[in-house]
Amino acid sequence: MIDTIHYDSCPLCQGSELAPFASATDHLVSGKQFTIIQCKACGFLFTQDAPSNDSIEQYYDSEKYLPHNTGHGFNSFIYRSVRSVMFNWKHALIQHYHNTRGTLIDVGAGNGHFMAHMQRSGWDVVGCEQSELARTEAWNRWELHLDGDVMETEYRTGCADVITAWHAIEHIHDLHGLWDRFNNWLKSDGILLVAVPNCFSADAQHYGYTWAAWDVPRHLWHFSINTIHELSQQHGFRLIDIKSLPLDACYIAMLSDQNKFKAIINGLRFMIKGFSNKQNASSLIYIFSKQQIRP
Ligand SMILES: [Zn+2]
């Protein structure tokens, strides 16, 4: 029996006018269709009737699910190559906003690869990851102990200089509780970096309901610049910068397009569009500081 969650009002602004936005199929595991709903008031998009936190595990049961994937196919090769370049770029981005080393919490740490990269650079790292398989791999590969469910993990108040969540928050059911945790764990001068797909990107508009980054029902929330800004403000954060992740356009095109030649051409096209205008970028990194409380 699968428990599902049905929203009668917007999870972001509590607005009651909701309308179907798109119908997307889970191509990876179940083949089931899910409806993506848009709030008329704030524009937030979310997956309606998604499996609850206790029921969703079976939807991750696929060797194709690349964040935990160690396969040797062409898509996996592309994924690993892009990831390696991106680790260095993300590290440089963090150093730009926080030029002294400290403690980093990685939420949705996968197999701990990024944590290991940062640890080698002198950072103290902790992280959490829902998948037991990924946690075991983190231990076997790097002797990194990862905590499990982020909503059951307790870190000390104000312990983190930097919190990162790379393509993680769209998977976590407790939309608001997670951001309360971010706020509790982050130091007053710390920074939070969140990467999520951009639901109004050029590639999302091109592929429509076949856009791979809908990734229903695993992606519960589908963020735009406006809606993540609103969410962050509700939880005491200030948006200080947005960076595009244009390489994600190539990866998403490879997954979205059956014709791999067309996928490469389209991926490059969307990558260039993302470089020229962040609004078009397939995925975005949002950088937040904490709102300062006036004395
Ligand atoms: Zn709303």
Side-chain angles (χ1 to χ4, degrees), residues 3-281:
D3 283 334
T4 56
I5 301 172
H6 187 89
Y7 290 96
D8 293 316
S9 60
C10 172
L12 180 57
C13 78
Q14 280 69 58
S16 56
E17 260 199 89
L18 306 177
F21 177 81
S23 184
T25 304
D26 174 11
H27 291 290
L28 208 57
V29 178
S30 69
K32 287 184 187 167
Q33 273 203 339
F34 292 87
T35 303
I36 295 166
I37 297 285
Q38 184 169 41
C39 168
K40 291 277 193 190
C42 73
F44 188 48
L45 300 183
F46 59 94
T47 305
Q48 186 65 288
D49 300 314
S52 70
N53 195 35
D54 293 331
S55 299
I56 206 162
E57 195 181 345
Q58 61 189 281
Y59 289 90
Y60 285 85
D61 185 21
S62 168
E63 292 200 347
K64 290 185 197 160
Y65 199 65
L66 284 165
H68 306 149
N69 180 287
T70 53
H72 301 286
F74 186 62
N75 281 0
S76 296
F77 170 75
I78 294 283
Y79 179 77
R80 286 198 306 272
S81 305
V82 168
R83 183 178 57 187
S84 174
V85 172
M86 291 313 292
F87 280 173
N88 289 319
W89 185 79
K90 287 170 178 172
H91 183 185
L93 184 65
I94 289 169
Q95 295 280 145
H96 178 76
Y97 288 99
H98 200 283
N99 58 14
T100 53
R101 296 185 186 104
T103 298
L104 181 143
I105 299 177
D106 194 22
V107 171
N111 63 13
H113 207 149
F114 177 70
M115 280 171 65
H117 177 93
M118 294 303 285
Q119 191 178 49
R120 281 196 296 274
S121 308
W123 285 74
D124 292 322
V125 293
V126 290
C128 45
E129 165 57 46
Q130 185 96 10
S131 161
E132 192 180 346
L133 194 68
R135 293 199 302 272
T136 304
E137 200 183 324
W139 178 254
N140 291 340
R141 288 180 75 171
W142 293 289
E143 294 192 1
L144 282 171
H145 168 79
L146 301 190
D147 298 296
D149 187 337
V150 61
M151 299 313 297
E152 289 169 13
T153 301
E154 300 297 337
Y155 298 120
R156 201 164 35 81
T157 297
C159 70
D161 295 280
V162 174
I163 300 176
T164 53
W166 309 122
H167 292 284
I169 71 165
E170 62 273 37
H171 295 265
I172 294 166
H173 283 79
D174 192 344
L175 180 69
H176 293 284
L178 177 66
W179 283 74
D180 286 340
R181 282 175 173 248
F182 287 160
N183 194 307
N184 181 33
W185 293 336
L186 198 63
K187 285 181 182 169
S188 60
D189 60 349
I191 58 160
L192 165 68
L193 294 94
V194 171
V196 285
N198 173 14
C199 68
F200 295 136
S201 62
D203 50 321
Q205 287 175 37
H206 172 83
Y207 289 115
Y209 66 90
T210 62
W211 187 49
W214 294 121
D215 201 18
V216 290
R218 291 162 293 278
H219 287 189
L220 307 163
W221 323 114
H222 311 278
F223 293 102
S224 67
I225 294 175
N226 286 344
T227 55
I228 203 157
H229 190 198
E230 169 60 27
L231 178 62
S232 68
Q233 282 192 319
Q234 288 183 16
H235 295 277
F237 285 93
R238 193 169 68 89
L239 179 59
I240 52 175
D241 205 356
I242 304 173
K243 297 286 181 192
S244 59
L245 268 168
L247 289 176
D248 278 29
C250 292
Y251 173 59
I252 294 299
M254 292 301 291
L255 293 177
S256 302
D257 235 311
Q258 296 300 318
N259 179 328
K260 295 306 172 203
F261 177 72
K262 260 173 70 183
I264 291 168
I265 301 296
N266 277 331
L268 291 172
R269 195 158 64 87
F270 295 130
M271 191 171 80
I272 292 164
K273 282 193 170 198
F275 271 127
S276 61
N277 182 349
K278 283 173 201 163
Q279 303 272 356
N280 290 329

